[in-house]
Amino acid sequence: MTSNYSRRQAIKAIAATSAAAAFPRALSADSDDLKVAARDAEVRITSISAHTFRLSLLPIQNGIARAIPDDGSLRRTDWGTPTASIRGPFSDSVVPCGNWSIAITRSPLAFTISDNKGAVVQRIRVDQQTGLAFFLTGNSPLLGLGEGGPQFDRRGSIDEMRSGQGGYKLATHGGRVPIPWFISTSGWAMFIHHPFGAFDFSTPEARFQPSAPESALPLDLFFVGSSDPAVIMAEYALLTGHAERPPMWSFGYQQSHRTLAGREEVLAEAKAFREKKLSCDALIYLGTGFCPSGWNTENGSFAWNSNVFPDPEGILNQLHEDNFHVVLHAVILADKLRGSVHDGCELARFDEQQASCYWDAHRKNFAMGVDGWWPDEGDPLDIASRLVRNRMYWEGPQIDRPNERPYALHRNGYAGMQRYGSFLWSGDVYSTWETLKTHIPIAINTALSGIPYWGTDIGGFVPTKEFTAELYLRWFQFGAFCTLFRCHGRNWKLRLPWGWNTGDSGPMEIRNYDGAALPDASQLHNAQVEPICRKYLELRYRMLPYLYSAVRECATTGMPVMRALWLHYPDDPLAVSRGDEYLWGRDVLVAPVVEQGARSRILYLPRGTWYDFWTNDRVEGGREITRAVDLETIPLYVRAGAILPLGPVKQYVSEKSNEPLTVAVYPGAEGSFLLYEDDGKSFNYRRGEWMGIDMSWNDRGRTLDLRLAKGSKMLPPTRRDIRFRLNSAERQAEFDGRSLEVRF
């Protein structure tokens, strides 16, 4: 990183203190105690790993350093004995900590961070009068900071870090889930654990301002540094936790609904998916309160609406027989939530702010067979309450179904929500081209912030005059390459794959929305839409073996599924700066079409050889290319050396098929891939019930080697027929757990 802090100044400060002890002591150079924001303070530096250290500035009260509040975001509260603790008068010192040297100066109070080669990486300065913290933004893109807000590179922006749908430009940028974790693509990152506050990135020395002056202390932050992006993501997972794995069906297509006409419409719409052979795994029902006729009687209620679900258990059973999972919308009415589902709830003293009591309200419907929940609202919840809610929807279902992975789609969250398998969607966005375009970098920054399961209301929540079949299809194509693949919005029948060819947009629900509009009725007889939707539904289900393997990698390493190009090409400035395309796992580059009437898409291919997924044409990277597109095409490119597993087309994730797995090899470089499989629904993988097939491609020898991954075992069927493909050449072989070599 090129720092705006003078390297000469930093070296001078370090040299002046080179004789100082590695463990700083209270020296007599200054007569005054250390004070910040008019309070006595103590500095603590704690080594977390070779790459990460914790810097804490704690207020002292009655001689005791005040504890750092626990908001639930960190994986643990105790990170061991500090490497250094400083209070009272002290001289400038240097603290070695892992791969870092931290030069501490008394006036101004500053922490200059240098790597093991002596290069200055960061300087954090604290204003002792106000408690404001300052740090260098550097000359490289600054990414992360949660969902929403100014995009793509955060430098130059001022971010108030307001949570919820009122956070920042809802119509185009969606709801805001602000997370004070930001990554410089030059090789460092910081997580400001406490206090919460706003950022000003508009100058080379950025400013962090606590939400209130009295909350300036304690200041608690974690600094991470590495030239390897994978290490940075792994360190963040070390701090805030690895993602839990939701059920595999949640990565299939999810169809959401609004105002319902009655029982027969509920069942007929499900039947249409199966008759049309359009893949779908989940049906999601909104609650009455946000529409005239939903699944329940009013917001916050868990009583069924008998006009639509007169026999809820019977309808649930019918939907299950047709292999659908059912997800219900739930609104929280309290503005605080505390505790956990394990605390117990006294019925005589029901407390809606207690997680155990609130979860109990769900359990009767859950016992009927409800498969998942859609927790809406909650913008007023503070950080701790948001995480209590995320945790509640993960741990609550396991009380009654202890060996079944829960599913919940949240509107709010924070750092650490990944520990509860939480999905997140971007809220009530408008159906505009600008919204679709903006959501590409939002997807990238959300993933870099530790939230791996994310998506949008495909088509946009509020229809506008821009809402056409073309916009819907381009959004649908993007949605097929989000971890959450779900359609939802007002006038909901236009969110059905066949909805643009019925002449019926659904119940009128656009009143009281500025700029809302519906397509002209003449546009609602478009026969192109359904087959294009079918194409991407089938592609999504074919790619599930690849996607599910990427989910497993995310859960074990911290690497997201939707990946900034920086994660694999950190030394390519053009790749690093691209916020309009991303990697889907390691090997597939996705470049969504976001311009109305587009006939081509300009995209950047990083260095190396790439293959057009649709045509298999070989293209050399390290440059921009222009890819012609028609209405049914989203540019997809596969990296040379990739081993891409493709399953059969399915109508739902658990459907049995006699079709073999296809493994496509893309030559031109060495490659490897771990194909992961478990039962997709239980926690048995924690007990060794999983199968991994390690595949490695020898490009020079034109051989593909397969072996059973260490710690795994063959799952039924224990003999697998696999079709192998390299360009036009095909091979068929059986894998039974023993090493297998396939030659081309």
Side-chain angles (χ1 to χ4, degrees):
M1 158 180 171
T2 303
S3 172
N4 286 283
Y5 176 63
S6 167
R7 183 174 176 183
R8 183 177 299 173
Q9 287 178 278
I11 294 173
K12 182 178 179 181
I14 294 170
T17 58
S18 60
F23 189 101
R25 303 174 183 176
L27 303 179
S28 59
D30 298 318
S31 57
D32 297 329
D33 288 347
L34 176 63
K35 288 187 179 292
V36 176
R39 304 171 73 181
D40 290 339
E42 176 179 307
V43 175
R44 289 183 184 173
I45 296 174
T46 306
S47 178
I48 307 299
S49 73
H51 305 282
T52 302
F53 67 85
R54 182 182 200 177
L55 171 61
S56 307
L57 197 54
L58 310 177
I60 299 172
Q61 188 171 5
N62 299 324
I64 300 174
R66 177 184 158 192
I68 299 165
D70 177 19
D71 59 13
S73 61
L74 296 177
R75 184 176 60 87
R76 49 189 278 196
T77 55
D78 180 12
W79 295 92
T81 304
T83 305
S85 298
I86 309 170
R87 66 164 65 183
F90 70 92
S91 296
D92 295 352
S93 304
V94 175
V95 178
C97 198
N99 292 340
W100 309 105
S101 291
I102 305 141
I104 307 173
T105 58
R106 175 68 175 80
S107 183
L109 180 58
F111 308 86
T112 302
I113 303 161
S114 302
D115 63 21
N116 51 20
K117 295 180 180 178
V120 174
V121 176
Q122 183 56 266
R123 181 188 188 240
I124 302 167
R125 179 173 63 88
V126 179
D127 186 303
Q128 291 180 249
Q129 297 298 316
T130 63
L132 269 63
F134 299 83
F135 56 91
L136 305 176
T137 56
N139 300 320
S140 301
L142 201 64
L143 308 178
L145 283 177
E147 178 193 62
Q151 299 294 321
F152 160 63
D153 181 356
R154 307 289 192 168
R155 291 177 304 161
S157 69
I158 297 174
D159 196 329
E160 296 181 3
M161 301 287 282
R162 288 203 304 262
S163 180
Q165 298 214 137
Y168 182 85
K169 296 184 179 181
L170 173 62
T172 51
H173 289 63
R176 185 79 171 97
V177 176
I179 296 176
W181 160 255
F182 45 95
I183 303 167
S184 169
T185 57
S186 66
W188 59 267
M190 281 198 287
F191 176 56
I192 299 183
H193 172 234
H194 191 83
F196 193 76
F199 290 93
D200 183 349
F201 298 111
S202 63
T203 58
E205 188 180 46
R207 181 176 70 175
F208 169 72
Q209 182 170 335
S211 54
E214 61 272 16
S215 66
L217 294 184
L219 172 65
D220 186 45
L221 64 85
F222 294 81
F223 180 88
V224 181
S226 174
S227 60
D228 184 351
V231 170
I232 291 179
M233 298 309 298
E235 293 294 294
Y236 185 64
L238 171 71
L239 297 175
T240 62
H242 287 84
E244 282 283 2
R245 291 172 230 183
M248 192 172 181
W249 64 258
S250 63
F251 298 108
Y253 177 66
Q254 303 181 32
Q255 180 64 60
S256 190
H257 308 74
R258 288 183 57 82
T259 299
L260 299 166
R263 180 185 192 276
E264 296 312 310
E265 181 178 62
V266 171
L267 296 177
E269 187 260 341
K271 184 179 180 181
F273 269 101
R274 296 297 179 238
E275 289 181 342
K276 290 174 174 287
K277 295 192 179 300
L278 291 166
S279 307
C280 183
D281 262 272
L283 302 176
I284 307 177
Y285 298 105
L286 185 71
T288 301
F290 284 144
C291 65
S293 178
W295 78 269
N296 62 2
T297 55
E298 60 183 346
N299 274 348
S301 170
F302 291 89
W304 293 83
N305 174 6
S306 60
N307 293 324
V308 178
F309 289 89
D311 55 335
E313 192 164 6
I315 295 175
L316 288 174
N317 288 338
Q318 181 61 58
L319 293 174
H320 287 157
E321 286 179 15
D322 292 334
N323 297 290
F324 290 102
H325 294 84
V326 178
V327 178
L328 299 183
H329 173 265
V331 170
I332 189 169
L333 301 180
D335 59 4
K336 292 276 188 182
L337 200 59
R338 64 181 183 278
S340 80
V341 297
H342 304 295
D343 293 338
C345 177
E346 297 180 35
L347 294 180
R349 297 170 55 194
F350 181 84
D351 183 353
E352 66 178 0
Q353 294 188 357
Q354 170 61 47
S356 59
C357 292
Y358 184 46
W359 176 252
D360 279 354
H362 297 66
R363 292 179 71 182
K364 182 178 179 181
N365 291 333
F366 194 58
M368 287 186 188
V370 172
D371 300 288
W373 301 92
W374 173 15
D376 199 356
E377 293 284 276
D379 286 359
L381 296 172
D382 60 21
I383 289 171
S385 296
R386 280 177 246 154
L387 289 174
V388 166
R389 194 183 190 203
N390 277 252
R391 180 183 176 188
M392 181 191 77
Y393 279 101
W394 179 253
E395 295 181 348
Q398 294 182 62
I399 294 175
D400 298 304
R401 303 179 197 170
N403 199 29
E404 181 179 306
R405 296 180 228 169
Y407 170 79
L409 172 58
H410 291 268
R411 196 173 94 181
N412 301 98
Y414 194 65
M417 65 185 291
Q418 69 274 10
R419 299 197 304 269
Y420 310 119
S422 299
F423 278 76
L424 179 72
W425 99 100
S426 66
D428 298 348
V429 298
Y430 274 53
S431 302
T432 69
W433 288 96
E434 183 63 25
T435 305
L436 175 58
K437 181 178 181 179
T438 302
H439 271 62
I440 312 307
I442 287 173
I444 297 169
N445 275 324
T446 302
L448 288 172
S449 302
I451 303 171
Y453 313 130
W454 176 90
T456 68
D457 286 346
I458 290 176
F461 178 73
V462 180
T464 74
K465 61 182 180 181
E466 297 183 36
F467 191 38
T468 61
E470 181 190 6
L471 177 59
Y472 170 74
L473 284 170
R474 293 305 190 194
W475 212 315
F476 198 91
Q477 291 161 6
F478 168 53
F481 290 92
C482 294
T483 36
L484 172 68
F485 187 17
R486 164 186 172 267
C487 280
H488 178 65
R490 289 179 176 267
N491 292 84
W492 66 271
K493 292 192 177 183
L494 292 179
R495 305 322 192 282
L496 294 168
W498 61 88
W500 287 84
N501 197 29
T502 66
D504 180 13
S505 66
M508 182 64 65
E509 298 179 328
I510 61 172
R511 298 179 182 89
N512 303 319
Y513 278 89
D514 291 339
L518 287 179
D520 186 271
S522 63
Q523 299 181 42
L524 303 182
H525 299 279
N526 189 328
Q528 286 183 289
V529 177
E530 184 177 333
I532 296 175
C533 287
R534 180 190 309 280
K535 174 178 178 176
Y536 284 90
L537 287 168
E538 292 182 352
L539 178 59
R540 170 67 167 224
Y541 279 73
R542 289 207 68 202
M543 292 191 76
L544 279 173
Y546 175 79
L547 170 57
Y548 199 58
S549 298
V551 167
R552 183 259 181 189
E553 182 185 0
C554 171
T556 54
T557 69
M559 283 288 275
V561 177
M562 303 176 74
R563 301 182 184 179
L565 269 59
W566 162 74
L567 287 169
H568 292 292
Y569 302 96
D571 57 349
D572 183 342
L574 292 177
V576 168
S577 65
R578 296 301 287 232
D580 63 343
E581 59 189 66
Y582 57 94
L583 293 168
W584 181 241
R586 172 66 183 91
D587 297 321
V588 180
L589 186 145
V590 182
V593 179
V594 296
E595 301 292 341
Q596 185 176 13
R599 294 295 175 262
S600 63
R601 169 64 152 91
I602 298 174
L603 60 109
Y604 180 77
L605 290 177
R607 67 179 180 275
T609 302
W610 295 82
Y611 291 84
D612 187 309
F613 177 80
W614 303 110
T615 66
N616 212 41
D617 289 344
R618 181 170 173 149
V619 185
E620 291 306 312
R623 61 192 178 100
E624 275 193 343
I625 66 167
T626 299
R627 207 304 187 171
V629 296
D630 54 23
L631 187 58
E632 66 176 81
T633 304
I634 178 176
L636 302 173
Y637 285 84
V638 185
R639 182 181 63 88
I643 302 167
L644 185 63
L646 297 169
V649 173
K650 293 185 175 185
Q651 301 308 301
Y652 48 91
V653 161
S654 61
E655 184 180 28
K656 302 300 181 183
S657 174
N658 293 323
E659 286 291 312
L661 180 76
T662 296
V663 174
V665 178
Y666 292 83
E670 306 291 297
S672 63
F673 186 80
L674 174 64
L675 175 65
Y676 175 80
E677 184 180 311
D678 58 29
D679 65 17
K681 56 187 178 181
S682 76
F683 294 101
N684 291 346
Y685 66 86
R686 295 175 177 173
R687 298 188 288 273
E689 294 291 323
W690 64 279
M691 183 182 75
I693 302 178
D694 273 320
M695 296 184 275
S696 59
W697 168 247
N698 182 319
D699 198 58
R700 176 173 293 182
R702 311 282 280 186
T703 58
L704 181 67
D705 293 307
L706 285 74
R707 67 181 186 277
L708 196 63
K710 184 179 180 181
S712 76
K713 63 182 182 180
M714 291 298 294
L715 297 180
T718 55
R719 304 177 75 88
R720 304 290 182 102
D721 287 326
I722 304 176
R723 180 185 298 125
F724 300 92
R725 190 183 73 215
L726 187 146
N727 297 326
S728 59
E730 285 197 0
R731 303 285 186 272
Q732 190 114 357
E734 186 180 77
F735 181 73
D736 60 5
R738 293 176 293 183
S739 295
L740 173 67
E741 181 182 82
V742 180
R743 289 185 171 274
F744 287 94

